[in-house]
Amino acid sequence: MMIDNYLAIGTVNILAMAVLGYMIQHNDLLDIKMRRHFLYAVLSISIVILAEMGTVFNAYPAEIAVVALTVFNVIGFSLSPFLPIIIATAFGNHFIRQKLIFLLPSLVNLVFVFLSPFFGLIFRIMPDGSYFRGPWFPVFIVSYVFSMLYLLMQSLRVIHIYQNRNQMTLFWLYLLFLLGTALQLLFPLIHTTWISVSLATVMYYAY
């Protein structure tokens, strides 16, 4: 029953991203760069949600179960740290050197993730299909923290530039983004990340 709930929630999130993608694509008020990066974010979130749905689905034939679970975990762990950076990039101008500094941990994580199916660095899938975090899982956490810091910096920059009366809204959106992720990192069986990320992305776009 719990797995069915996860799959149903994931489906709702995918539909929400599809609607948001349609709205972004047909919004003539956004400049091309902002529209493109918001669409990148929507696409990436949708892919990661599908990957997470793939990791909780438990009806794979025995001969492909380990391979399928491994592939879905590689996709999820690879893309996740890039999402806050993609959303932050939609806000506007950036210093290239600064962006590269915050992007570097995500690139390091990418290498560790692609080595994980062979060496179990970030995660390990056992022959019976069970999942375990690897000894280098903190690399993923650090990469995500750096990405969230970059999103925070860009959020504060937007608040400073526009100084509007709704400036706390952006701060609370960031906390929603952060809280959903932190809960799942602390309690892996509670799948809150992509519900929070989907909702926060819709609200970021509205903001």
Side-chain angles (χ1 to χ4, degrees), residues 86-114:
I86 295 172
I87 294 172
T89 304
F91 287 163
N93 298 325
H94 303 268
F95 296 106
I96 299 300
R97 182 178 298 180
Q98 181 190 76
K99 184 176 179 179
L100 288 176
I101 291 173
F102 284 92
L103 192 60
L104 182 60
S106 296
L107 296 175
V108 173
N109 174 72
L110 190 66
V111 174
F112 275 69
V113 169
F114 275 93

Side-chain angles (χ1 to χ4, degrees), residues 82-160:
F82 290 100
L83 293 177
I85 293 178
I86 295 172
I87 294 172
T89 304
F91 287 163
N93 298 325
H94 303 268
F95 296 106
I96 299 300
R97 182 178 298 180
Q98 181 190 76
K99 184 176 179 179
L100 288 176
I101 291 173
F102 284 92
L103 192 60
L104 182 60
S106 296
L107 296 175
V108 173
N109 174 72
L110 190 66
V111 174
F112 275 69
V113 169
F114 275 93
L115 290 175
S116 291
F118 309 102
F119 304 107
L121 302 179
I122 303 294
F123 68 90
R124 183 185 299 274
I125 304 297
M126 305 305 290
D128 63 355
S130 57
Y131 160 87
F132 294 95
R133 291 176 174 177
W136 290 91
F137 186 79
V139 171
F140 170 76
I141 296 177
V142 170
S143 67
Y144 203 92
V145 167
F146 266 73
S147 296
M148 290 299 296
L149 286 175
Y150 186 73
L151 178 59
L152 176 61
M153 288 174 56
Q154 296 307 318
S155 299
L156 293 175
R157 185 183 66 84
V158 170
I159 290 173
H160 176 72

Side-chain angles (χ1 to χ4, degrees), residues 18-75:
V19 172
L20 179 59
Y22 178 85
M23 292 170 61
I24 294 170
Q25 183 64 37
H26 292 82
N27 188 341
D28 295 330
L29 298 178
L30 291 178
D31 63 45
I32 295 176
K33 179 177 177 293
M34 183 176 289
R35 184 187 305 172
R36 183 172 66 247
H37 281 94
F38 266 119
L39 286 174
Y40 288 161
V42 167
L43 178 61
S44 300
I45 291 169
S46 300
I47 292 173
V48 175
I49 292 172
L50 286 172
E52 185 168 271
M53 291 169 67
T55 62
V56 300
F57 184 66
N58 64 349
Y60 297 109
E63 60 272 15
I64 68 165
V66 173
V67 174
L69 292 170
T70 299
V71 169
F72 287 131
N73 274 284
V74 166
I75 294 172

Side-chain angles (χ1 to χ4, degrees), residues 164-176:
N164 56 41
R165 286 180 291 180
N166 296 320
Q167 57 187 251
M168 286 303 297
T169 301
L170 201 56
F171 179 72
W172 289 116
L173 287 178
Y174 176 83
L175 287 184
L176 173 64

